[in-house]
Amino acid sequence: MEEKKLDTNSLIGFLLIGAILLYMLWQNQPTPEQLAAKEAQQEQIDKNAEADLGTEAIDSNQNIALAQQKSQIGDFAYSLELPSAKDDFTTFENDLLALKINNKGGAISEVKLKTFVNYDSIPVFLVKEGTARFNLNFSTADNRTLNTSDLYFEPSYSTNGNNTVLSMKLKVSEDQYLEYIYTLKPNDHMLGFSVRSQGLSGTFNSNQAANFEWDLKALRQDQSITFENRYTRLSYEYDGDKTSKLSQAGEDEEDLENVSWISYRQHFFSSILVPDSPLKKARISSFDLVDDETIDTVYTKRYNTKFPINYAAGELAYDMNFYFGPTYNKVLEKYNKNLEGSIPFGWGIFGWINKAVFSPLYAWLSSFLSYGIAIIVMTIMVKILLSFVQYKQFLSQAKMKILKPELDAIRQKHKKDKMKAQQETLALQNKAGASPISGCLPGLLQIPVFYSLFMFFPIAFELRQKPFLWVEDLSSYDTIAELPFNIPFYGDHISLFPILASIAIFFYMRMTTGQNMANQPVQEGMPDMAKMMKYMIYFSPLLMLFFFNNYASGLSLYYFVSNLISIGIMLVIKNYIIDEEKVLAKINVSKAKPKKQNRFQKKMAEIMEQAEKQKAAQERRKK
């Protein structure tokens, strides 16, 4: 085997390469002076983060990103060389709002409501870093498309009377720029916002409208994510005074015209876009972000709005406002923009009753009573007002009870002729003035009140975080016990007020439904009906128990008190007002008088008479 020898030329080559590498490393290492300068520069950058925005520096890593953007945006490269062109924020606040505006994009990156906290005693943020996108998209004369969210603005403050004004400028040069102007009044939830451009008519492609986009993920604020998400919704006003909304669940979108405002409602708080002049066109969308209500969810909905802004003489000029504050009609009404129309008072007559009656009534009561006592007092007032309805119902029940033996005799007499039995039954009820319909109609009058109050309590901002007895927050559920597991449709806790309300409903239904069934005459198929009604006596309170366990305790308190009062009114009417002997005497007098039939009764009699003739004809044909 031949012995391997070291190749002298190879050895020399490796040594030369190694020497070159060592020289390059030594040549490129920072000198002590450079290291000191770098440390000083870093210290200066850290200090400038808290200093005036006009003197802030750009760190070395960001220089690379800025250089890349500079090569892409051409005429707008000047904005990348501004001393404030870095990822920093400009603060902006008054007594009610604390805002942060990101220099990058000139956009609102944080909105904190100073006077409110959420269910976890943390300040309410309607916008936080990463939850909102605020962008103006436009085309340039050389067919490039730019997004302001990618570009850097230079901030500057000024005042206009008592108002604070923040200007964010995206500059091409000192006298050519795109400007966002934010105006904040003292002690106000409304933020003025204007888009302006100067000297850019030759830069914009004015044949294509600029497009404004506002995207927001709604942060959770309430204890019950189920309850909050049900009342978190996008609503809007269009064509002057018409209001509408997107779907509460799932995903929904719509193209709008002539839009006065767009509300991103987050139950008790709202972010509302209010343009100075109606938007000619807009596209809105909503997406439900709650996949599983049993886990700790951070967000409820995602909202998006896009609309075009047209050029005037080649420049941009558009004014709008943003409302950031409580979804409270007392606050919203002062802007005279019908913003309170974003509150779900209910449709039609239900909304009218809430806005005209219950909302001002409760506001007045709660001005001198505790919020829980105000609910009880308002409930008593409503029940007293509707007590005549219960009187009519019980009077009808008393008449049916007295007539029951005669009605049973009629059905026994005409066992084989149901049509004849029905005719005589109606005739007797008509003479006695004891039609079952007369007992139902007064009950229908309670439905608008019942539904209006059902809509009112969940959206009553006055109840938010107000305690009563063992309840910490009347706008949320009360908890007397935490469960180590989650029950579907019920939750992982036990609330006491829904239990009390369910018990009261059970006894109320047992008194009313049971009595109604006992007063009904015996007829075929009746046992099945009685069994179904008996099940309803138990099913309705159980449904109440499950449905309201995650609802506002103020609503459960109302139902509890309301049914207790109804039971009391029933007992008073039954035992002290309605005298069955007097009722019987009136029935006998009414039966003795010739009874004139109304149009409906005549029509029913004709129909039944015609049906009897047809039945008789069919029997003759069979024979």
Side-chain angles (χ1 to χ4, degrees):
M1 176 180 285
E2 186 178 22
E3 183 181 357
K4 292 186 178 179
K5 295 182 179 180
L6 182 61
D7 188 345
T8 304
N9 292 331
S10 298
L11 178 60
I12 295 172
F14 282 123
L15 290 174
L16 288 173
I17 292 172
I20 292 171
L21 290 174
L22 289 172
Y23 175 78
M24 290 177 64
L25 290 172
W26 174 80
Q27 186 68 20
N28 288 300
Q29 69 177 345
T31 65
E33 293 79 6
Q34 289 175 323
L35 288 173
K38 187 173 182 180
E39 290 177 1
Q41 182 184 20
Q42 186 61 46
E43 289 178 2
Q44 185 63 34
I45 290 173
D46 292 339
K47 290 179 180 178
N48 285 344
E50 300 176 358
D52 183 76
L53 289 170
T55 59
E56 292 178 346
I58 306 171
D59 60 34
S60 58
N61 290 331
Q62 194 168 8
N63 282 337
I64 299 173
L66 295 179
Q68 291 174 345
Q69 291 187 23
K70 182 176 179 180
S71 66
Q72 296 173 359
I73 66 173
D75 291 339
F76 282 91
Y78 182 85
S79 66
L80 303 180
E81 298 171 354
L82 298 173
S84 58
K86 60 175 293 184
D87 285 329
D88 206 345
F89 303 92
T90 303
T91 59
F92 195 43
E93 60 186 280
N94 63 8
D95 298 331
L96 302 177
L97 301 176
L99 302 100
K100 285 185 179 179
I101 312 297
N102 197 335
N103 290 2
K104 184 177 182 180
I108 301 170
S109 62
E110 183 176 287
V111 176
K112 181 175 75 172
L113 304 184
K114 290 185 174 183
T115 56
F116 300 101
V117 295
N118 67 9
Y119 71 100
D120 210 18
S121 300
I122 297 173
V124 170
F125 287 90
L126 298 187
V127 179
K128 289 193 78 172
E129 183 66 20
T131 68
R133 185 171 185 266
F134 191 89
N135 180 56
L136 184 67
N137 172 284
F138 57 90
S139 297
T140 62
D142 55 354
N143 296 320
R144 287 176 291 120
T145 300
L146 299 182
N147 293 289
T148 56
S149 59
D150 298 328
L151 307 176
Y152 289 85
F153 288 66
E154 180 181 33
S156 62
Y157 289 108
S158 63
T159 57
N160 182 6
N162 294 325
N163 303 335
T164 304
V165 179
L166 172 64
S167 169
M168 303 292 291
K169 290 184 178 179
L170 175 63
K171 293 185 175 181
V172 173
S173 65
E174 284 295 338
D175 57 356
Q176 291 178 289
Y177 52 82
L178 174 67
E179 183 180 22
Y180 290 166
I181 304 171
Y182 296 94
T183 304
L184 196 55
K185 299 177 182 179
N187 199 37
D188 200 346
H189 286 284
M190 191 73 78
L191 172 69
F193 177 72
S194 300
V195 179
R196 294 282 187 274
S197 69
Q198 178 176 307
L200 299 180
S201 58
T203 302
F204 292 129
N205 180 0
S206 56
N207 294 322
Q208 298 182 15
N211 293 295
F212 187 84
E213 181 177 7
W214 179 34
D215 187 276
L216 175 68
K217 288 196 295 184
L219 289 159
R220 174 185 178 180
Q221 309 291 351
D222 292 355
Q223 183 180 18
S224 172
I225 187 68
T226 304
F227 184 57
E228 178 180 11
N229 202 34
R230 187 173 288 117
Y231 291 93
T232 297
R233 202 164 186 176
L234 190 154
S235 57
Y236 56 92
E237 183 183 72
Y238 66 104
D239 288 346
D241 58 354
K242 299 177 183 177
T243 59
S244 189
K245 51 191 174 292
L246 294 185
S247 174
Q248 184 272 326
E251 185 175 3
D252 194 12
E253 65 178 10
E254 193 166 343
D255 291 318
L256 310 176
E257 294 182 356
N258 196 27
V259 186
S260 303
W261 49 257
I262 298 171
S263 172
Y264 293 175
R265 190 175 75 239
Q266 300 170 233
H267 194 190
F268 285 125
F269 300 97
S270 294
S271 303
I272 308 177
L273 169 64
V274 189
D276 277 12
S277 57
L279 303 175
K280 293 182 179 179
K281 291 183 179 181
R283 170 176 280 268
I284 58 173
S285 64
S286 173
F287 184 76
D288 191 356
L289 299 176
V290 180
D291 294 325
D292 187 352
E293 295 178 344
T294 64
I295 63 175
D296 186 18
T297 303
V298 178
Y299 306 106
T300 53
K301 295 284 195 309
R302 179 170 183 170
Y303 300 125
N304 182 267
T305 295
K306 297 178 182 177
F307 61 90
I309 299 178
N310 293 318
Y311 295 92
E315 300 284 1
L316 287 173
Y318 197 79
D319 300 317
M320 63 188 96
N321 304 274
F322 289 95
Y323 171 87
F324 297 109
T327 314
Y328 186 19
N329 60 312
K330 191 175 181 179
V331 176
L332 294 171
E333 284 174 352
K334 73 177 186 178
Y335 294 105
N336 296 318
K337 300 276 189 181
N338 193 35
L339 301 181
E340 63 274 15
S342 63
I343 303 175
F345 283 114
W347 56 272
I349 187 173
F350 310 114
W352 182 88
I353 291 174
N354 274 330
K355 286 185 282 189
V357 181
F358 292 133
S359 183
L361 175 61
Y362 186 75
W364 175 68
L365 290 172
S366 60
S367 67
F368 59 89
L369 297 172
S370 73
Y371 291 90
I373 297 297
I375 292 176
I376 295 173
V377 172
M378 188 168 78
T379 306
I380 293 172
M381 294 173 68
V382 171
K383 296 306 292 185
I384 291 175
L385 183 65
L386 295 176
S387 59
F388 79 95
V389 175
Q390 285 190 288
Y391 172 76
K392 288 290 185 181
Q393 287 179 302
F394 279 102
L395 181 61
S396 177
Q397 291 175 7
K399 290 180 178 180
M400 293 297 294
K401 180 180 179 181
I402 293 169
L403 291 177
K404 186 176 184 300
E406 293 185 60
L407 294 173
D408 288 343
I410 291 174
R411 282 169 174 77
Q412 188 68 23
K413 178 182 177 181
H414 301 286
K415 274 185 177 180
K416 297 181 179 180
D417 192 345
K418 293 181 181 179
M419 190 67 68
K420 187 67 174 177
Q422 188 67 24
Q423 277 184 319
E424 292 191 16
T425 296
L426 289 175
L428 176 61
Q429 291 174 342
N430 183 41
K431 285 184 178 180
S435 172
I437 297 177
S438 64
C440 296
L441 290 178
L444 294 177
L445 297 177
Q446 298 185 77
I447 293 178
V449 175
F450 175 86
Y451 185 76
S452 296
L453 286 168
F454 173 78
M455 295 296 295
F456 171 74
F457 284 108
I459 52 93
F461 189 85
E462 295 94 335
L463 297 180
R464 186 177 183 273
Q465 297 181 344
K466 299 301 187 298
F468 179 65
L469 299 177
W470 63 87
V471 179
E472 295 181 359
D473 183 355
L474 283 167
S475 72
S476 185
Y477 57 78
D478 64 291
T479 304
I480 58 171
E482 297 283 353
L483 299 176
F485 49 82
N486 183 77
I487 301 175
F489 305 108
Y490 185 75
D492 58 0
H493 64 277
I494 297 175
S495 299
L496 182 55
F497 267 133
I499 295 175
L500 296 175
S502 298
I503 293 172
I505 288 175
F506 170 75
F507 283 105
Y508 175 73
M509 291 191 67
R510 189 172 182 180
M511 292 175 68
T512 55
T513 307
Q515 185 174 340
N516 287 336
M517 293 305 300
N519 293 338
Q520 294 297 323
V522 177
Q523 55 182 312
E524 292 183 16
M526 201 62 188
D528 293 335
M529 178 66 70
K531 186 182 292 186
M532 185 182 72
M533 295 303 294
K534 184 178 179 180
Y535 288 148
M536 287 297 297
I537 294 175
Y538 295 94
F539 176 74
S540 294
L542 189 63
L543 184 65
M544 167 80 185
L545 182 65
F546 271 78
F547 185 76
F548 285 93
N549 194 59
N550 289 296
Y551 249 66
S553 53
L555 183 62
S556 300
L557 171 61
Y558 157 72
Y559 280 122
F560 171 56
V561 175
S562 177
N563 283 282
L564 281 183
I565 296 172
S566 294
I567 291 172
I569 292 174
M570 283 173 56
L571 293 174
V572 170
I573 293 174
K574 181 179 179 181
N575 296 318
Y576 299 101
I577 297 179
I578 294 181
D579 187 330
E580 291 189 3
E581 292 183 1
K582 291 183 179 180
V583 173
L584 177 59
K586 289 182 179 180
I587 288 177
N588 290 332
V589 171
S590 180
K591 287 164 64 176
K593 293 180 180 179
K595 193 73 174 179
K596 185 179 179 180
Q597 292 182 328
N598 58 37
R599 186 178 299 177
F600 175 76
Q601 290 169 334
K602 287 181 180 180
K603 189 66 176 176
M604 289 297 297
E606 290 174 2
I607 292 173
M608 296 184 72
E609 184 178 353
Q610 185 67 27
E612 189 174 355
K613 288 180 180 179
Q614 290 177 355
K615 182 179 178 182
Q618 289 176 355
E619 289 178 353
R620 287 195 297 269
R621 282 196 295 269
K622 288 180 181 178
K623 294 178 180 180

